[in-house]
Structures are given as structure tokens and as C-alpha cells.
Amino acid sequence: MLFVQHKRNKLRMSSTSSFQEIAFKAELDRHVDPECEHQARILCGEDPTTRVAVVEELRNIIYKRGECHPPRMDDAFLLRFLRARHFILARAHRLMVRYCKFREQNLHLWRDVYWYGLTRLGNIFEGVLFDRPDVGRLIICRLGKWDPDILPVEDIIRGCLLFLEVGIMQPKLQVLGGTAMIDCAGIGMKHVRQLTPSIATQAMNVMGITFPIHQRGVHVVNCSRLFEKLFNVFKRLAPSEDIWKKVYFHGYDYDSLHRYIDPECLPKRYGGRREPVSLKEWLTKIKYYKNKQFDEDLRTLGYAIDE
């Protein structure tokens, strides 16, 4: 009986491992399948028959107004901004301007940063490779796992940015968007002292104000009332109130979290059914499966790559 159970467990582990390996390979997939086209219509207001013309119109607006100088102007790059703003040209252009301005003002967050070197962040960031239309990609920041004595706070922002920049290369994630979780377990005063207004502003910009991703929500868990009040102080720094409408505090109540995120999408530690993937493991697999196009895309954005 024990032998049979052991065999079943091995098969289950093998099946999970195989699924994750397929998911890792798909992280660099630029293919748009029929299901993605269908979801793009529903979630992004995208019409395949007019897509090329709308992209060209956005390009013309950027050139005509001259308010920003994007690192790329190809169709694939511009398309992610349109998808993030429901194919509304004016909103997509404003997002592009904010994105470029943020890059210009925070060059230290990516210029000459060796992307694979951010594996040093270990499991501070995690992702769940189970993307659904109602949740998108779930990204988790476990702030308590960060040691400020070893890693500068800027590395936290760099890690989040890289997670997003690489993820958004996938058309599927451009369409589905993402959901963020901030796990405050283990946070102490040495962490709080690092959260200056400048860092808070950078974090809010990355979470959705300047980045071309459909932000579905930010969920804060394992958070005391004191820390919730600290978050509320940061509201004054946000240029738009819209971002705060999507921030939810759950304290230590996972049942509250489950009302917004199906346990099917969550790691087991939050009452879910999934195995999370650390930033370190994810980047290691990306490096293994990456191609010349990936290198060129990151080089264009300013990251240092393998020579």
C-alpha cells in the first residue's frame, strides 16, 4: 500500500514538473493563438481587422506630438500600450508618455543592469504560472523575505520591473494583464525605514500608473492595521486615485482574499492549490530558453545582457 502511494506521489510530482516546464517554455512565446485573439476582443476591445491601422495611428501621434521618445516604435511594442488602455488612442498615448518619462527619470533602475543578476532577489518575488482571464498573471512580493542589510531597496523595484518587462513580451499577458499580491509577513522597522516617498512613488508607477499592463488589483495580506495606515499615507503621492480603487487589504483573513482570487490560482500557503515559482527559478529558466530576439529586446530597453 505504501509503495502504491509513493508511486502515485512520484507521478503527481512528475506531472507538476512537466506542466511547469511547458509553462517556462511558453514564457518566450510571441505567438497569438485563436483563444488569445478572442480574449483580446473581450478584454482589450481589439479588432483584428483594424489593429494595424490603429497601431499606425498611435505611431503617427507619437511622432507628431513629440512628447516622448520610446525605446522602440515597432508594431509589437506599440500594441502592448493599446491593449493596456482598451485600444483608446488618447489613453494609450498618455501611458506611453508616462512610461518614457519614468524611464528617463529613473535610468538607474535598468540602464546597464544585468538582468540575470537579479536572481539575487531569490524568492522575494514569486509568480504563479496559471494565467486566467479573471486574474491574469499573479505576481507576489514577499517583502519580509528581503534583507535591507544585504540588498538595496532599489533592487526590489528593479526586480518588479524586470518581472513585468519580460512577462509583457508575451501577447497573452498583454491581453490578460496581472494581479499583484504584497505579503507583509515578517516586515519590521528596518524594512519600513527604506520605504521613502521616492521609493513609494516608484513602486506605484511600476504597479500600473506608467507600465503597459492591465492591473487587475493589488491585494495586501498578512498586514497589521499599523502597516495599512502607512499605505494610506502613500495615497497623497499617487497622481491618480484610480490605482487605490484596486488596492484591497485583507489583514490575516485568507477567506477575504479568496473572495477576489480563486484559490485555484493561489499558492498553497494562502489556502490555494498552486506551487509558486521564485524570481530566481524563473530567470534561470528564461536564460535557458531565451533566444536572440529576447536579448535584442532587453538590450533595446537598456539592460545588460550576456555577450
Side-chain angles (χ1 to χ4, degrees):
M1 185 69 179
L2 288 174
F3 172 77
V4 172
Q5 186 62 45
H6 177 68
K7 191 172 182 179
R8 285 176 179 171
N9 288 339
K10 286 186 69 176
L11 287 171
R12 191 178 296 114
M13 290 173 63
S14 175
S15 175
T16 300
S17 177
S18 296
F19 170 79
Q20 281 203 347
E21 207 62 29
I22 292 171
F24 283 131
K25 291 179 183 179
E27 291 297 275
L28 298 172
D29 185 11
R30 313 290 178 85
H31 177 68
V32 180
D33 57 31
E35 182 182 0
C36 187
E37 288 274 18
H38 175 68
Q39 290 169 341
R41 280 182 178 273
I42 298 172
L43 300 174
C44 305
E46 183 173 338
D47 183 348
T49 64
T50 61
R51 177 169 52 215
V52 173
V54 177
V55 170
E56 182 62 25
E57 193 172 351
L58 175 59
R59 183 182 292 109
N60 291 336
I61 290 173
I62 293 170
Y63 282 134
K64 182 178 180 180
R65 297 189 182 178
E67 297 176 42
C68 60
H69 303 283
R72 291 167 49 186
M73 288 290 280
D74 56 280
D75 286 11
F77 186 73
L78 299 182
L79 186 55
R80 63 186 65 174
F81 288 85
L82 287 164
R83 285 172 169 161
R85 291 299 180 264
H86 210 73
F87 264 71
I88 299 173
L89 275 165
R91 295 184 63 206
H93 179 255
R94 284 199 299 272
L95 178 60
M96 176 68 82
V97 172
R98 287 199 298 268
Y99 174 81
C100 292
K101 184 177 180 180
F102 180 72
R103 282 177 54 84
E104 292 166 3
Q105 294 175 343
N106 298 276
L107 292 174
H108 64 289
L109 295 178
W110 42 57
R111 176 172 286 179
D112 299 327
V113 172
Y114 178 42
W115 70 274
Y116 187 68
L118 289 173
T119 53
R120 60 182 175 269
L121 291 170
N123 63 348
I124 295 173
F125 287 100
E126 292 179 340
V128 177
L129 305 182
F130 183 71
D131 310 316
R132 298 194 336 186
D134 57 331
V135 175
R137 170 66 56 88
L138 179 64
I139 297 177
I140 304 165
C141 178
R142 302 174 70 191
L143 276 176
K145 295 291 183 180
W146 161 48
D147 186 346
D149 296 329
I150 298 176
L151 296 171
V153 66
E154 288 81 8
D155 271 1
I156 303 299
I157 307 298
R158 291 186 182 107
C160 185
L161 267 174
L162 184 65
F163 224 142
L164 294 173
E165 289 284 12
V166 175
I168 207 67
M169 292 178 183
Q170 257 196 84
K172 180 183 70 170
L173 293 184
Q174 295 170 19
V175 171
L176 297 182
T179 298
M181 273 181 59
I182 300 174
D183 187 342
C184 298
I187 286 182
M189 285 308 299
K190 69 176 182 178
H191 299 94
V192 174
R193 282 194 291 268
Q194 302 295 319
L195 301 179
T196 63
S198 174
I199 293 298
T201 301
Q202 289 176 6
M204 288 185 290
N205 275 289
V206 172
M207 282 196 301
I209 296 173
T210 67
F211 198 84
I213 188 171
H214 179 196
Q215 181 58 265
R216 296 182 167 277
V218 179
H219 298 267
V220 186
V221 298
N222 296 322
C223 175
S224 67
R225 290 289 185 183
L226 179 63
F227 204 74
E228 184 175 338
K229 289 179 180 178
L230 178 62
F231 268 93
N232 288 330
V233 171
F234 293 149
K235 282 186 179 182
R236 305 172 194 169
L237 305 174
S240 169
E241 293 184 1
D242 289 345
I243 186 175
W244 295 106
K245 294 176 182 177
K246 298 180 180 180
V247 177
Y248 307 93
F249 294 92
H250 303 285
Y252 302 91
D253 184 0
Y254 290 166
D255 286 338
S256 171
L257 176 66
H258 297 167
R259 286 198 287 272
Y260 294 88
I261 306 177
D262 190 330
E264 184 67 25
C265 304
L266 289 166
K268 294 176 182 177
R269 76 170 71 90
Y270 305 111
R273 304 186 183 97
R274 298 287 156 186
E275 295 293 340
V277 174
S278 71
L279 179 66
K280 181 177 181 179
E281 183 182 4
W282 185 68
L283 289 179
T284 299
K285 291 293 185 178
I286 291 290
K287 186 176 183 182
Y288 181 78
Y289 289 115
K290 73 181 181 69
N291 50 32
K292 290 182 179 180
Q293 183 63 56
F294 175 85
D295 283 344
E296 184 56 33
D297 286 348
L298 284 190
R299 183 188 288 110
T300 301
L301 289 172
Y303 287 100
I305 64 167
D306 299 301
E307 296 296 341

